[in-house]
Amino acid sequence: MKDSAPRGRQVKRLAVLSAAVIGLALLTAPASAQDPLDPGTPPGVDEIASTPNLKQVAYLPKTGPFASTTNSDWAFKGHYAFGGNYNGFAVYDISKPKTPTVAAQVLCPGSQNDISISGNLLFLGTDSQRTNDSCDNVAATTAEPGERWEGIKIFDISDPLTPVYLKSIKTDCGSHTQTLIPGKHGDPNVYLYVSSYNTSGVDQPNCVLPHDKISIVQVPKANPTAAAVVAAPVLFPDGAYPGSPGHTATSGCHDITAYPDKNIAAGACMGDGVLFDISERTAPRIITTVRDTVNFAFWHSATFNNNATKIVFTDELGGGGQATCNPEIGPNRGADAVYDIVGRGNNRTLEFRSYFKIPRTNTATENCVAHNGSLIPVPGRDIMVQAWYQGGISVWDFTNSSRPRELAYWERGPISATQFVSGGSWSAYWYNGFIYSNDINKGVDVLELKDIRTDLAKLFRTNVFNAQTQKNFLLP
């Protein structure tokens, strides 16, 4: 965030002004918990539909070695956006958000190529067995198990235009996602919580069952080539959710989001939602867990509100590869779930408050599922932007945990009107006044939100953004 001497007074003035502005705006808002924002008829192939307050201001198609492979997650630093792709990652110059450019492309195959950034270091996660740990590799199909590699790669991005590959760290089951956590005061390291899982039901090379743990990579900031796995804690030593028809058993975590300043993290662990104490960075401890054996199929990701008094969990119904936003599936399956954090210390629990799902019907040829989101920094409100694959991009307010409501949406019509084709926005995050979407098939979309209820968010600035590492946006 941009610092100034009267920071405290500035924040208080913004919060007061925000409360007044938001209150006025909400006086004229519909009263129901989830009013459809003119869902209308689904747009046609490649057509755009949106509310008037959310508009596309730029688009960059996929190019070069990434043209035919899947775009994945984002991380941001300064005037650059780093977009993952199953063939590596791209660096975009976003100094002029309405005219972004491709600044560099790093060819380094290995799904999903999830990205996190700390200082001048970029961490790239590989969750597919490769023939080696270099960027010149192919998928391992016949190699001996000992020769297979998956895990974390570290790049130096001191010059974002010429990233330099520094180091690899092999991890059990690879790295489906990874969460960056800075060391506590005086600790010269950063840590990566590497999440991965095995749903096959059989032992696999590099991933032996039961896999109910995470790998913790310690990275010395002054010597990143000394990075290594320093712990692999079993998260569920007494057993986790065993699974049931339509509900995945827990055999690891899909995603962990940390709030390091408060020493907590939220885990979306397949069959369990988890609140962790991360006071000891290499030994996370479960405070409490929740399950939803009625509507949740696969606990997928998590986002705290700014005060860390709530958690939004997402459900990856259908694995992200099915049409799930329709009347047949309904409003509760494949939805977000809002939980309040109740109590203090070791007595904290998670109490369910509501579901939120986009209130539009997609066609039968479109995959639709809730994906990671990020907060829009509006003082006094809990507002987030979220990708829903071909369901588009939704901006919604969960300030009232029991009555979430959508404020805006933007979506592109199906890739095909006649056959199912997977695509849509993998990740859509707010960064310094704009929303950036990494579309699985199409490329990069930049959206601008113009709404009295969120306008104050444009005053806030940050220099680094990782969706799975949260901090209080009201503090420097």
Side-chain angles (χ1 to χ4, degrees), residues 19-97:
V21 170
I22 297 295
L24 179 62
L26 291 177
L27 285 176
T28 59
S32 68
Q34 185 172 302
D35 290 310
L37 293 183
D38 187 24
T41 302
V45 173
D46 284 340
E47 290 181 350
I48 301 297
S50 72
T51 47
N53 55 351
L54 186 59
K55 295 296 184 182
Q56 180 191 53
V57 295
Y59 168 66
L60 281 177
K62 293 195 296 185
T63 60
F66 302 157
S68 60
T69 50
T70 298
N71 274 346
S72 57
D73 220 331
W74 284 118
F76 299 83
K77 181 185 178 185
H79 296 307
Y80 295 96
F82 298 79
N85 180 282
Y86 279 40
N87 255 356
F89 64 93
V91 184
Y92 300 94
D93 185 331
I94 56 171
S95 54
K96 298 178 180 178

Side-chain angles (χ1 to χ4, degrees), residues 105 178 185:
Q105 290 182 322
Q178 25 107 359
H185 181 68

